[in-house]
Amino acid sequence: MNNNTSKQEIKILGIDLAKNSFHVFGINNQGVKVLTKKMTRHQLARFCAKLSPCLIAMEACGSAHYWARKFQSYGHEVKLMAPQFVKPFVKSNKNDSLDAEAICEAVQRPNMRFVAIKTEEQLASQSLHRIRSQLVKSRTAQINQIRGLLLEHGITIPKSKANVHKALIQLLDEANTESPLSDMMKRLINDLKTHLDHLEQRIADYDHQIKVQANDNQWTILLQTIPGIGPVIATAMMSHIGDITLFKNGRELAAFLGLVPRQYSTGGKNTLLGISKRGDVYLRTLLIHGARSVLQNIKDKTDATSCWLKALVARRGKNIATVALANKMARTAYALLSTGEIYNENHGLA
């Protein structure tokens, strides 16, 4: 069968993505294979540009959002799926051809879950968070290195950034004649302090960008009305979730973030374990940190959520209550994004 005939008959095209080598698998309306071929980046773009509008399916992996937007510009319908949902459809051995065929098969399942295609703005926001997260890790590592090196000289510094900065200023003060550090050690510590100050400045710059971004979008402004959610969580949530309509309810969003119990049930016996921890680790961590901040300030509050939290802490402890509140925050975020309503702490109460 020639390429022209294949192009006209293709209704679903599965593409196994890679860096330079791609494999495509196409079927017609009757589900019959009409194309299986290996292509380069240039060949794939040219092939899809000339192809009649059809459904293109891919795994949500590296470069998937770029190709999805590109194929949409050609008039195709594009759907992305998580790789773990495609794997069961791979027959026997694994290779690029069978992967493309499995993608083509998986996209036809009526109950398949799809991944929202991110816009360039969402990807840029996500990149901002990833860079900031890496800088925070570098700052923590730098602080720990400074504290460790000074400990070898008999100098102990309590935890926290503020204590480290305060101690460094005193140690490096030229007027401090009682410093136990040699001139060489002072120069080395000064270099580390300079690097730490640089990291602090970069993190502050990114925090400012996130705050500006959060106050420039109606949905992130709406999310910030929820206790425990600030600019960082609001922008991270909007960049990661994408299209809220892909979730049927708030529980699906909480499950997507790994904040619901992992289940291992059989024979009518239900077994619920700890939270599944599926989905994005960064966003789940932010929500739990936000929940922890709320939990620390409920002592004198009498609203419905605070009363519920106090009872939960007394019954199950702070850690479980923190995760439960993070789950509740995710569900509340879904409700606000779905309805456009502002958060009301006494919603549903007489």
Side-chain angles (χ1 to χ4, degrees):
M1 186 174 292
N2 59 49
N3 286 339
N4 290 333
T5 304
S6 300
K7 290 178 184 178
Q8 293 173 2
E9 293 186 355
I10 291 176
K11 295 302 177 183
I12 301 178
L13 185 70
I15 303 178
D16 181 49
L17 297 176
K19 185 176 180 180
N20 296 310
S21 177
F22 304 81
H23 205 100
V24 299
F25 185 93
I27 61 174
N28 60 17
N29 278 330
Q30 288 73 41
V32 178
K33 177 180 72 175
V34 294
L35 175 70
T36 176
K37 188 175 182 180
K38 180 181 178 181
M39 298 182 181
T40 63
R41 293 180 68 88
H42 178 69
Q43 288 173 337
L44 178 65
R46 185 173 57 184
F47 173 81
C48 290
K50 296 179 180 179
L51 186 65
S52 299
C54 66
L55 171 61
I56 295 181
M58 300 178 290
E59 290 180 331
C61 56
S63 76
H65 295 284
Y66 161 77
W67 284 111
R69 293 195 305 273
K70 194 175 187 68
F71 296 150
Q72 283 179 334
S73 68
Y74 296 154
H76 301 295
E77 179 186 1
V78 183
K79 291 187 176 180
L80 303 180
M81 298 168 289
Q84 63 266 32
F85 294 154
V86 176
K87 188 176 181 180
F89 296 93
V90 178
K91 299 174 183 175
S92 59
N93 299 316
K94 182 188 182 304
N95 56 48
D96 293 347
S97 177
L98 291 177
D99 286 346
E101 182 179 354
I103 292 169
C104 197
E105 179 68 27
V107 76
Q108 300 177 69
R109 300 303 93 201
N111 295 323
M112 178 56 65
R113 300 174 185 171
F114 299 104
V115 176
I117 299 172
K118 291 182 173 60
T119 64
E120 290 188 9
E121 291 76 16
Q122 287 174 323
L123 289 175
S125 178
Q126 197 172 54
S127 298
L128 175 61
H129 279 272
R130 287 176 177 174
I131 295 171
R132 178 187 176 277
S133 178
Q134 186 60 47
L135 288 173
V136 171
K137 290 180 182 178
S138 298
R139 180 181 63 184
T140 302
Q142 187 69 90
I143 289 174
N144 289 338
Q145 184 182 39
I146 292 172
R147 294 176 72 241
L149 291 173
L150 291 178
L151 188 61
E152 295 296 331
H153 292 267
I155 302 172
T156 60
I157 303 177
K159 292 181 179 179
S160 86
K161 296 179 294 179
N163 286 327
V164 171
H165 282 287
K166 182 179 179 180
L168 290 179
I169 291 174
Q170 293 176 350
L171 288 170
L172 298 175
D173 187 0
E174 294 181 358
N176 185 6
T177 58
E178 298 180 358
S179 175
L181 301 178
S182 64
D183 291 341
M184 180 179 180
M185 195 62 193
K186 281 187 177 181
R187 288 196 298 270
L188 293 174
I189 295 299
N190 186 61
D191 288 342
L192 294 179
K193 181 180 181 300
T194 301
H195 184 222
L196 180 60
D197 291 340
H198 176 65
L199 291 173
E200 292 278 15
Q201 183 58 51
R202 290 190 63 190
I203 293 171
D205 291 341
Y206 284 129
D207 284 340
H208 177 69
Q209 292 183 44
I210 288 173
K211 188 174 182 179
V212 171
Q213 187 182 83
N215 294 329
D216 193 41
N217 183 287
Q218 61 171 333
W219 299 112
T220 51
I221 292 174
L222 194 64
L223 287 175
Q224 290 180 77
T225 62
I226 303 174
I229 294 184
V232 175
I233 298 180
T235 52
M237 186 171 284
M238 289 307 301
S239 64
H240 184 71
I241 292 175
D243 185 6
I244 196 65
T245 60
L246 289 179
F247 302 96
K248 294 179 181 178
N249 49 46
R251 191 185 187 284
E252 276 202 359
L253 177 57
F256 173 73
L257 298 174
L259 290 168
V260 299
R262 186 162 55 92
Q263 189 177 57
Y264 188 82
S265 302
T266 183
K269 182 179 180 180
N270 294 325
T271 305
L272 297 180
L273 309 172
I275 58 172
S276 68
K277 295 185 179 180
R278 297 190 181 103
D280 188 75
V281 176
Y282 175 71
L283 182 53
R284 183 171 61 255
T285 302
L286 289 178
L287 283 170
I288 290 176
H289 284 328
R292 188 173 287 113
S293 69
V294 173
L295 205 63
Q296 292 174 347
N297 297 281
I298 62 171
K299 185 177 180 180
D300 300 322
K301 294 185 178 180
T302 57
D303 59 275
T305 300
S306 297
C307 292
W308 168 73
L309 279 173
K310 290 175 184 177
L312 186 58
V313 170
R315 190 171 70 253
R316 300 300 303 275
K318 287 186 177 181
N319 288 337
I320 290 179
T322 298
V323 177
L325 179 57
N327 180 302
K328 190 180 187 72
M329 289 164 60
R331 295 184 183 217
T332 304
Y334 172 85
L336 266 59
L337 294 174
S338 300
T339 63
E341 296 179 3
I342 297 175
Y343 175 78
N344 177 8
E345 62 183 15
N346 294 312
H347 178 74
L349 299 178

